[in-house]
Amino acid sequence: MSTDALKKKRVLVTGGAGFLGSNLCEHLLGLGYEVIALDNFFTGSKSNIDHLSSNKNFELIRHDVTAPFSIEVDEIYNLACPASPPHYQHDPVQTIRTSVLGAINMLDLAKRLKCPILQASTSEVYGDPEVHPQVESYWGNVNPIGIRACYDEGKRAAETIFFDYYRQYNVPIRVIRIFNTYGPKMDPDDGRVVSNFIVQALKGEDITIYGDGSQTRSFQYVDDLIKGMVAMMENKSDFTGPVNLGNPGEFTIGELARKIIDLTGSKSKVVNKDLPKDDPKKRKPDITLAKDRLGWEPLVSLEEGLPKTISYFKSLLRL
Ligand code: NAD
Ligand code: UDP
């Protein structure tokens, strides 16, 4: 074995065939690392990582994180979990099992390997927030028995488990709270707002605004997030987080629809549908901590990121 091969960092990415996971695998391979993607293909797809299969540093393993798993790696990124509301509500018991048992199984692996492990947590831990913008010290406002709880409470429990493994077993953890992220490799049928609106606009179908469209979200382009994730994993201090990673630009859903109609030149009309239960009214990250501790901040505005995402869907859907 060459010294190069001995030195090369080996990284496990759970949920590696999903939207964020596939972008992360591509980025890590670009850094010269060996990457092992683990996925059960619940929402992810082989087509997201097909182009990586010829790379000798890339491996794909079909596995469900609710079952224990063993491998030798230097770092673990734990992303496995459906993230779109229709998908995570489709099988809520499996969703919470994925968050909780997935966290335990991956932390047991990190404990044995004494390696850093990053948890992809979410702005959903803030629920329908009463503090705006959201700071990491805010404990959130989550309905524990509502239809979003399988995801929100699953992610909150996963954070608890991460911090317990840190305090009890000294596992080097990193917890990031990701705010709404969009970009290439999103599944056109994913159900999240950016992909729904772009696909509807490109196909000339009605644009479905849930409620009156006055609720807000802050949209982050995927490349910005991936850089923040890696900065967090590779930080040399003992910074565990939780740290918000998001773009503080805040838009109403109505504004997002208008932007996408303008950028696509679509003739689609906007229709209003029922607002799903417990839909958060507003969302905007305070990213002071990420700036201070990681020297990170997002660089891609919604005006720059949307055209890139529209081009991706145009070529994917051959439109
Ligand atoms: P995604 O649905 O595209 O990807 C999730 C991946 O996990 C899929 O490939 C899926 O097949 C896999 N998976 C699901 N359950 C699994 C299981 N039990 N075992 C193995 N693999 C499993 O979603 P995404 O947007 O890429 O999200 C990735 C992670 O980031 C998730 O943990 C999500 O909660 C978190 N996150 C994403 C966002 C966002 O805006 N995209 C925001 C906050 C948090
Ligand atoms: N939304 C919408 N139309 C859609 C999909 C979503 O108006 O076709 C709304 C949804 O009700 C929410 C916002 O857009 O207020 C963001 O939804 P998404 O599912 O993308 O993410 P999350 O609610 O988890 O932030």
Side-chain angles (χ1 to χ4, degrees):
M1 192 185 272
S2 73
T3 5
D4 252 16
L6 284 171
K7 275 194 301 202
K8 201 175 280 173
K9 200 187 274 184
R10 299 185 76 208
V11 184
L12 175 67
V13 178
T14 79
F19 161 46
L20 297 181
S22 56
N23 278 285
L24 177 64
C25 287
E26 200 174 299
H27 182 84
L28 295 171
L29 287 167
L31 295 176
Y33 301 160
E34 269 185 49
V35 176
I36 297 136
L38 181 156
D39 208 293
N40 71 348
F41 303 109
F42 176 55
T43 49
S45 129
K46 283 188 188 153
S47 62
N48 279 341
I49 41 176
D50 263 352
H51 64 298
L52 306 177
S53 57
S54 58
N55 188 320
K56 64 178 181 4
N57 288 329
F58 182 71
E59 264 175 80
L60 171 65
I61 298 172
R62 180 189 283 268
H63 180 79
D64 189 314
V65 291
T66 61
F69 180 73
S70 194
I71 196 166
E72 305 304 307
V73 289
D74 303 303
E75 286 175 351
I76 303 168
Y77 287 84
N78 188 37
L79 273 62
C81 187
S84 140
H87 285 151
Y88 69 63
Q89 288 164 21
H90 168 76
D91 187 347
V93 173
Q94 171 66 5
T95 299
I96 196 157
R97 283 172 62 83
T98 295
S99 268
V100 171
L101 296 177
I104 292 172
N105 288 325
M106 291 307 128
L107 281 160
D108 279 338
L109 178 60
K111 177 174 166 242
R112 176 175 74 73
L113 298 173
K114 297 186 174 51
C115 80
I117 176 167
L118 177 142
Q119 168 66 357
S121 191
T122 168
S123 54
E124 293 287 328
V125 300
Y126 302 121
D128 191 6
E130 288 153 332
V131 168
H132 196 73
Q134 291 77 57
V135 275
E136 289 85 352
S137 53
Y138 175 50
W139 290 353
N141 176 36
V142 174
N143 173 0
I145 57 167
I147 55 171
R148 294 174 81 97
C150 59
Y151 183 74
D152 301 5
E153 296 289 19
K155 289 285 184 176
R156 285 165 66 95
E159 285 199 11
T160 307
I161 300 164
F162 264 70
F163 277 85
D164 284 336
Y165 270 70
Y166 169 68
R167 282 184 291 256
Q168 199 170 333
Y169 302 122
N170 250 332
V171 173
I173 62 159
R174 283 102 169 88
V175 176
I176 57 169
R177 292 181 177 159
I178 305 170
F179 284 65
N180 298 63
T181 306
Y182 68 97
K185 303 240 161 58
M186 284 189 101
D187 179 351
D189 299 318
D190 179 85
R192 279 177 277 189
V193 68
V194 175
S195 44
N196 270 10
F197 284 2
I198 293 179
V199 171
Q200 290 162 344
L202 291 176
K203 289 185 170 171
E205 294 169 356
D206 290 348
I207 305 239
T208 53
I209 291 189
Y210 302 158
D212 63 7
S214 63
Q215 70 272 36
T216 71
R217 293 293 186 275
S218 298
F219 299 102
Q220 155 174 248
Y221 190 65
V222 62
D223 290 0
D224 281 332
L225 171 68
I226 299 298
K227 285 180 198 145
M229 267 185 172
V230 175
M232 181 60 176
M233 174 61 98
E234 301 195 344
N235 92 79
K236 296 286 177 244
S237 63
D238 57 358
F239 180 46
T240 58
V243 62
N244 290 338
L245 294 182
N247 189 319
E250 185 184 10
F251 299 88
T252 67
I253 296 305
E255 282 171 334
L256 177 73
R258 280 192 294 280
K259 274 185 195 299
I260 290 175
I261 290 173
D262 285 351
L263 287 166
T264 51
S266 175
K267 300 266 179 296
S268 289
K269 70 175 195 300
V270 169
V271 296
N272 292 87
K273 300 227 165 176
D274 289 345
L275 188 67
K277 252 186 133 292
D278 294 338
D279 200 278
K281 287 184 261 318
K282 49 187 189 287
R283 193 71 73 52
K284 173 186 163 96
D286 180 316
I287 57 164
T288 311
L289 188 63
K291 281 186 187 165
D292 287 354
R293 297 300 301 262
L294 305 173
W296 174 90
E297 64 181 310
L299 301 175
V300 184
S301 66
L302 192 57
E303 285 69 23
E304 292 166 291
L306 281 180
K308 296 177 198 236
T309 313
I310 291 167
S311 300
Y312 167 76
F313 279 116
K314 263 189 185 163
S315 78
L316 186 77
L317 303 169
R318 298 181 210 288
L319 291 167

